[in-house]
Amino acid sequence: MTPTSNSSRELPAAHPGLLERLMTTVQPRFRSDILTFEPSDPVFGGDPCRVPGCDRTGRTRGLCRYHYLQWNQHQPDLGEFIATADPTWRRYPAPSPCQVPGCRHGRRAKGICSPHYQRWISDGRPEVTEWIMSAGPVPVPPDEVTCLISYCHLWVQSVGIFCYVHQAAWRRHHRPDVEEFARRFDDETLLNRDQLDLRALPVHLRLEIQYVLQRRGQDGHTKVNPGETQRLINFVVASGVTSLLDWSEQQWKEFLPASDRKSYAPPLIYGRNQIEDLAVGRGWHVEYPRDIWRLRKLDITDPVAHVRFDQIPQPWLKELIKRWARWRLTSGLSAGIAARGARVLTRFALFLATPPASIAGIGDINRPLLEQYLADLHTEYGGRKLQTEHIEHLSGFLTALRQHGWADDLPAGARIFATDYPKRGQRLPRALPEHVMAQVDHPDNLSRWDNPAHRLITEILIRCGLRVSDACRLAGDCVVHDAEGAPYLRYFNHKMKREALVPIDEQLLAQIAHQRERVRERWPDSPLLFPRAKSNAAGTQPTDSGSYRLGLRRWLERCDVRDECGQPIRIQPHQWRHTLGTRLINRDVPQHVVQKILDHESAEMTAHYARLADSTVRRHWESAMKVNIRGEQVTIDPDGPLAEASWAKQRIGRATQALPNGYCGLPVQQSCPHANACLTCPMFLTTPEFLPQHRQQRQQVLQIITAAEARGQKRLVEMNQQVADNLAKVITTLEVDQPGHGDAADAI
């Protein structure tokens, strides 16, 4: 297979100094041509074979490869086989001889050797069993010379020193030195270990593979199966390259057979990246010239791993977009936002390259052209959220060009205005209905989680309102206590890039402690509360939100959670955050407290959840004592014929005529004849929540009256006396309804 060319900028084939770096970096442990690994190795090893006394690594069904092959011949009861198997079974069992009586050549097919197989074909492929009994003799080697392998007693091939079976193995290993090849079968020190044979690799490429294996061992993130790795090395040998850097990532992917690409491309690309880092380093000087930025090379750990510019046809525009994307990444924006910005600008670039909008440079981008693009966006997205996203990123890009002086020839009229954004109604919070939450919260349903870590993540999302990515990356020591011993969950808010605290109860505290113990049993030194279950030898990689979402979908199917229409429901983890915010608001938790719990940047973000259910607001209105300006209680019969009308008038009044110390009961259709003298207005209503304002205002009015009397200003005294009297009546009536009023009076 011939790899195709790659138009993207890649590293040159020759890398001066790489050989010297490899020679000084590869450790002696990995400098051998045949690498062996003990079962106890944390990366290349594994659990020992289940056969007592066998110290090889159990790879399949808990058996080492060789005991598994022995068991797989007849597949007896596995438990009985484990109890009775010979632990000293050789790594390479002696091959079976031909079934023709008297023949000691190795079997090829149909249970017969190669000479007899050719004779059987010549005889017309008769029934094998009968043919074997009548087959004639075959030539016997002089002196009946047997295979060079000490425990193999089969005859050698007509030309060679190995039997048919070992001759084929010798050829598969690229015809190494025969003495060394035979020693591998006879050396008892090698029989109990996994091996990697690197002798078929060119010297420079062999050093590169040794360095890659060394890096795998140092990273400790991923378990390495030497058997699979040996097959990958055979692919590398077959490629004919002298360095992993001779081909690009895409060329290596295209070289691998399609059936093996998914399994072998990731470790091969990992190896190439390690050699590239050693050759030229890592950082912006390596990534910036590329058309696809690999964010891991920039030490940016984010679910989004790449930022792509490979579809932008204009070199001058690609350079500006790259500059803008780098500035956004280095200013602290997430990789996801930077990648979306590049994707949005790629669409803009493709529009500019299409007639009639074809332009030659940044100086041709003017307001009429932008209006054409805005119309094109509306045609495709029709006022959806994506249209707003495209306009926002384009506006930010044009603003940055002017702000930083990256394009002095950009016309002044090339701007996006506030009126260019499509009008979109405010969306309600996506809180889950309470009857759905009753199903989700039910202990019987929670017990159906097959993964205890995912169950705990679910309860943290429901009770604490974390974003799912923050919950998956919780640290093992995520619980802290205040001076009074109350527990809090400490987490890192990746969206806001800061630590945050949220209170938790004792039940959740105990569940977190149990999860921590489970983690310590498998990863004693893991710093995480939820380590990834696979490819995580050291326990330093957190579980990803994708695996949790998959588990959530399967859990909902097992629990058969349904909506109000009886249909199976799909839940997004972020809906639990909306549900907690809405629940807290509807339970009368102050909005600034909800803002702190959800760790919102601004009150406006929390206000999204503060649009209470109509029944919640009405319940507060009906339960509150309402007092008019004469100190008389005003009641509204919730079941009377005017209840709905009164409630509608109250909602309009609160929305349009709220006062600092009460509410206006005047219909909106009428004008107020009392100016701002609300405390002398017959339409004024108030409730106990305004008592502090009433007391403060009464104190101020009495001070005004006292000063006016001293100056002899009788008219001023008369004007304020009515206000003072009305305030006294209001305060007296409202105080009667306050809890503990009688106790306070007795104390006085």
Side-chain angles (χ1 to χ4, degrees), residues 391-402:
I391 297 175
E392 286 176 344
H393 285 286
L394 178 58
S395 176
F397 174 66
L398 296 175
T399 301
L401 293 182
R402 293 189 179 87

Side-chain angles (χ1 to χ4, degrees), residues 484-505:
E484 299 178 354
Y488 294 82
L489 184 71
R490 179 177 61 190
Y491 68 98
F492 189 79
N493 186 335
H494 289 82
K495 183 176 181 180
M496 299 293 117
K497 293 182 172 52
R498 65 190 181 201
E499 281 196 337
L501 296 170
V502 60
I504 58 176
D505 55 29

Side-chain angles (χ1 to χ4, degrees), residues 246-257:
D246 288 350
W247 287 354
S248 68
E249 296 177 7
Q250 185 63 30
Q251 287 172 317
W252 278 115
K253 291 178 183 178
E254 294 177 0
F255 170 75
L256 292 171

Side-chain angles (χ1 to χ4, degrees), residues 174-191:
H174 308 284
R175 294 178 170 83
D177 178 77
V178 292
E179 297 294 336
E180 177 64 22
F181 182 76
R183 187 186 70 82
R184 292 180 54 200
F185 288 86
D186 294 332
D187 190 345
E188 293 295 336
T189 63
L190 302 178
L191 296 182

Side-chain angles (χ1 to χ4, degrees), residues 134-242:
S134 61
V138 296
V140 179
D143 301 325
E144 298 189 8
V145 176
T146 58
C147 180
L148 184 63
I149 306 300
S150 62
Y151 62 86
C152 179
H153 303 293
L154 299 181
W155 292 335
V156 299
Q157 291 288 92
S158 57
V159 178
I161 56 177
F162 294 112
C163 68
Y164 172 80
V165 176
H166 288 119
Q167 181 87 355
W170 178 70
R171 289 172 178 169
R172 285 198 306 271
H173 286 79
H174 308 284
R175 294 178 170 83
D177 178 77
V178 292
E179 297 294 336
E180 177 64 22
F181 182 76
R183 187 186 70 82
R184 292 180 54 200
F185 288 86
D186 294 332
D187 190 345
E188 293 295 336
T189 63
L190 302 178
L191 296 182
N192 296 330
R193 304 180 186 179
D194 288 320
Q195 292 186 4
L196 284 176
D197 189 347
L198 310 180
R199 290 174 298 181
L201 293 166
V203 175
H204 187 279
L205 186 56
R206 188 185 311 166
L207 278 170
E208 290 185 354
I209 297 299
Q210 290 169 344
Y211 176 74
V212 171
L213 294 171
Q214 177 180 305
R215 290 293 303 145
R216 277 293 194 195
Q218 292 172 342
D219 291 344
H221 296 161
T222 305
K223 281 280 190 179
V224 177
N225 186 327
E228 295 297 316
T229 304
Q230 184 66 64
R231 189 174 183 213
L232 179 60
I233 291 173
N234 293 340
F235 281 130
V236 175
V237 172
S239 69
V241 301
T242 58

Side-chain angles (χ1 to χ4, degrees), residues 36 40 73 142 258 358-359 417 424 530 540 556 608 612-613 651 666 690 709 723:
T36 59
S40 59
Q73 288 180 355
S358 302
I359 64 173
F417 300 101
R424 301 183 73 244
F530 301 112
T540 57
L556 291 173
H608 183 59
L612 310 182
R651 295 190 72 196
L666 184 70
F690 297 106
E709 288 177 342
V723 175

